[in-house]
Amino acid sequence: MSAPVILDTRSVTARDPFFDNAKYLAILLVVCGHLIEDQRDHPIAHALYFYVYVFHMPLFIVLSGYLSRRFTFSAGKARKLISTLAVPYLIFEVAYSLPRLILYGKFELTLLDPYYLTWFLLSLFLWRLSTPVWQQLRWPLAVAVMLSLLTGMSALPDELAMNRTFALLPFYVLGLMLKPEHFAWLRRPYMRLTGFLTLGLGLAAALLVHDQVPTEWIRWRLSNSALHVDDLTGTAVRLGLLVAGAVLVAAFLAVAPARHTWFSDLGSATMYAYLLHGFVVKVAERFELGVPLSILLGVAAATLLCTPPVRKLFHWAVEPRMSWAFTPLRRP
């Protein structure tokens, strides 16, 4: 469960390295988290997995919301939505189904029930479509939180990644509501120190409670009844995770460098690392690498998959050129 697929509506000349730095550092967490997932029987691996999963998805969703503030149903942006989310979703749904055919002779393709990491593309597609609605509500974040809590009380279908789409919705709406001055406030020197302290306390808390909280809570894909708790308990836990995720997201952004760094350009291509790293994970699962080696592999793989040669090789799948599929804008 993870995803850094962020539609960036900024022009190339106006890119802020702060956001690219944050996305690069976040994709390292995503890839490393997936690589240690099968080693969760080791206490340290389980604690790290729990810690990362509390906030790495909220982080990408907040950034996605912030960078989607100008989304409208205009022709150019609607077409970009199709070419950067819908078409890659179809391509990688098929691509991740092929290994099961090769290894097990079993091919299943359910386009409305996303497989593996493609759920984020589908959820982001739906969140983007809902953007104009949230921008017209008086209290959008309160409504989004209420929807997240209420849907935890219902057994939603797996189609369209409904559970995760509603459960994580508050982070997208939070991103929509943020303004540049909020990020400027996070970049202040004293906030950087506070961010490091908060991330450290979060890790300490994860080491203490990771074996007492079922992993499914941080995957956001099951209802309260499926987690075997009553609605009051489930609502309290979900609200606590929403708050913890938001606090750790703020702390992470506070420590992200604001200047241009050697990895800033890599941060502009995290979609490639996200969509392609699953194949690395599937291969690595066949070996017993251990936690330190898995983390090193995750850092190396995430970095490599954001480089220009990989982007050139897989541009057709991750950012396909779709102008041939569209007609001139039809006006009434």
Side-chain angles (χ1 to χ4, degrees), residues 171 230 235 287 300 317:
F171 295 112
D230 59 81
T235 299
F287 304 93

Side-chain angles (χ1 to χ4, degrees), residues 130-202:
S130 71
T131 296
V133 175
W134 300 110
Q135 291 174 332
Q136 296 184 54
L137 293 178
R138 187 178 297 274
W139 301 290
L141 187 57
V143 173
V145 170
M146 186 65 66
L147 281 174
S148 176
L149 299 178
L150 288 175
T151 53
M153 304 177 189
S154 305
L156 299 179
D158 293 330
E159 284 74 14
L160 301 179
M162 294 296 287
N163 287 288
R164 284 167 167 163
T165 299
F166 278 106
L168 294 164
L169 174 63
F171 295 112
Y172 182 79
V173 176
L174 173 61
L176 287 176
M177 298 301 105
L178 292 177
K179 299 178 180 179
E181 48 265 36
H182 295 131
F183 292 97
W185 177 71
L186 287 175
R187 298 182 195 184
R188 295 179 179 180
Y190 70 89
M191 287 303 300
R192 186 176 180 84
L193 176 59
T194 303
F196 277 117
L197 291 174
T198 302
L199 291 174
L201 290 173

Side-chain angles (χ1 to χ4, degrees), residues 202-226:
L203 178 58
L207 289 169
L208 291 174
V209 307
H210 72 93
D211 56 348
Q212 302 172 33
V213 181
T215 303
E216 283 299 335
W217 279 112
I218 55 173
R219 290 180 172 176
W220 302 93
R221 62 184 184 182
L222 295 179
S223 64
N224 297 332
S225 59

Side-chain angles (χ1 to χ4, degrees), residues 29 36 58 61 87 104-106 116 170 182 187 202 209 219 224 246 312 332:
L29 298 180
I36 66 175
I61 297 169
V87 174
Y104 311 111
K106 183 180 181 181
Y116 196 33
H182 295 131
R187 298 182 195 184
V209 307
R219 290 180 172 176
N224 297 332
K312 183 177 181 180

Side-chain angles (χ1 to χ4, degrees), residues 266 269 271-277 300-319:
L266 299 177
M271 181 185 293
Y272 288 82
Y274 177 71
L275 290 176
L276 295 169
H277 84 273
T303 302
L304 177 64
L305 293 174
C306 291
T307 57
V310 174
R311 293 154 69 173
K312 183 177 181 180
L313 185 61
F314 290 100
H315 192 282
W316 63 272
V318 180
E319 295 179 290

Side-chain angles (χ1 to χ4, degrees), residues 47 50 67 113-114 161 175 181 201 208 243 290 299 331:
F50 182 86
L67 298 176
D113 185 5
E181 48 265 36
L201 290 173
L208 291 174
V243 172
V299 172
R331 297 185 182 279

Side-chain angles (χ1 to χ4, degrees), residues 121-131 160-162 165:
L121 293 174
L122 191 54
S123 292
L124 184 54
F125 184 88
L126 297 173
W127 290 327
R128 287 295 300 273
L129 287 178
S130 71
T131 296
L160 301 179
M162 294 296 287
T165 299

